[in-house]
Amino acid sequence: MPCILMAHIAITASMSGSLISPLGGPLKQFIRFFFSPTTFINQLQWSRNHAAILLTFLLVAVLESQVGVGKSLNLQLAWLLNDWTGLEQGQALFAVTFARVAFLFVGMLSLSETLWWIGEKLGRHTSKRVLYRRLAVVLTLMLGAYTLFSMTSAWAQAFGFATFGWGLVLTYSTLREQFMVGRVTAALLGVVAAATIVASWRVSDRVVETAASFAIADEIARVRK
């Protein structure tokens, strides 16, 4: 998982814009990611490949569904889908994974639209496409942190907290750069946005997992009668 996040940073850096010199540009952006997040976020507006940044988010979402909280939940839902529809287990698991990734993607778009609406009220009008690009980077880190939190090893938990913390820093930089709001406003809005998205992932997983467990228990009880 840490390797995936580092690869995401490298990919984003390599596509961050025409104002960066061709020699050592990606390396400079990689360094800016850690030491000058505001500059890093600023230069994302010149990224030449919006689709690739979004694709990276989707790849991390797929990874989360395989190793994170979603793994056991996907297996439960796939079992139910197999039982209800007769789909093969592999096909049912693919369908459930696809639906989960789509849910995460729609959630990202919803959060982006909400922040766009709030930002317009509080600050200046800017490019929505650039906001999507910046938030795709931020939410990839948040989703990576969420995945790491589900692991039991101490190093994964520590890296998860570090990743989440840096995601907050980039959220703050994004809101400041995108809407030119004050420091306090950007900080408060960033914390609320990050807490909302992670809580929504957590709560939705818990609710669906509980419902799936009850449905499986009922189905097994029905078969045994």
Side-chain angles (χ1 to χ4, degrees), residues 181-205:
V181 294
R183 291 185 176 88
V184 174
T185 300
L188 290 176
L189 185 58
V191 169
V192 170
T196 298
I197 191 65
V198 174
S200 68
W201 290 337
R202 184 68 172 172
V203 171
S204 61
D205 280 341

Side-chain angles (χ1 to χ4, degrees), residues 149-161:
F149 289 152
S150 69
M151 299 180 182
T152 56
S153 63
W155 70 265
Q157 293 284 328
F159 195 82
F161 278 110

Side-chain angles (χ1 to χ4, degrees), residues 170-223:
L170 290 183
T171 302
Y172 169 82
S173 298
T174 293
L175 296 173
R176 286 274 290 165
E177 183 68 28
Q178 187 76 28
F179 301 114
M180 297 299 291
V181 294
R183 291 185 176 88
V184 174
T185 300
L188 290 176
L189 185 58
V191 169
V192 170
T196 298
I197 191 65
V198 174
S200 68
W201 290 337
R202 184 68 172 172
V203 171
S204 61
D205 280 341
R206 290 284 183 162
V207 170
V208 175
E209 187 172 20
T210 300
S213 297
F214 279 120
I216 290 174
D218 289 342
E219 190 65 20
I220 292 174
R222 184 185 65 80
V223 171

Side-chain angles (χ1 to χ4, degrees), residues 9 13 15 25 34 50 61 80 82 101 110 121 126 145 158 170 185 195 199:
I9 296 168
M15 300 183 296
F34 293 103
H50 179 75
L80 287 171
N82 167 263
V101 172
S110 299
K121 306 300 181 185
T126 52
L170 290 183
T185 300

Side-chain angles (χ1 to χ4, degrees), residues 6-158:
M6 291 300 102
H8 168 64
I9 296 168
I11 290 170
T12 305
S14 69
M15 300 183 296
S16 60
S18 57
L19 296 185
I20 304 172
S21 62
L23 296 177
L27 178 59
K28 288 181 180 179
Q29 277 298 82
F30 188 82
I31 294 173
R32 288 187 182 109
F33 178 85
F34 293 103
F35 296 102
S36 184
T38 300
T39 304
F40 176 85
I41 289 295
N42 174 271
Q43 295 193 348
L44 282 178
Q45 64 186 300
W46 294 293
S47 173
R48 293 165 292 187
N49 201 326
H50 179 75
I53 295 176
L54 291 178
L55 179 61
T56 307
F57 171 81
L58 293 177
L59 290 175
V60 174
V62 171
L63 180 66
E64 189 277 335
S65 71
Q66 301 302 312
V67 302
V69 177
K71 182 179 180 180
S72 61
L73 177 57
N74 285 356
L75 291 174
Q76 288 179 310
L77 294 176
W79 187 93
L80 287 171
L81 189 59
N82 167 263
D83 184 67
W84 292 341
T85 67
L87 279 176
E88 293 182 3
Q89 187 66 24
Q91 293 174 333
L93 185 58
F94 175 82
V96 168
T97 301
F98 179 85
R100 181 180 180 81
V101 172
F103 170 79
L104 290 172
F105 184 71
V106 170
M108 183 191 75
L109 293 179
S110 299
L111 178 65
S112 300
E113 287 290 338
T114 302
L115 287 177
W116 172 261
W117 182 81
I118 294 174
E120 277 193 313
K121 306 300 181 185
L122 298 177
R124 67 175 185 178
H125 183 280
T126 52
S127 169
K128 185 182 291 188
R129 184 178 180 86
V130 171
L131 177 63
Y132 282 170
R133 189 178 302 143
R134 288 166 172 166
L135 287 178
V137 175
V138 169
L139 291 175
T140 299
L141 289 178
M142 294 294 184
L143 186 58
Y146 181 67
T147 305
L148 288 166
F149 289 152
S150 69
M151 299 180 182
T152 56
S153 63
W155 70 265
Q157 293 284 328

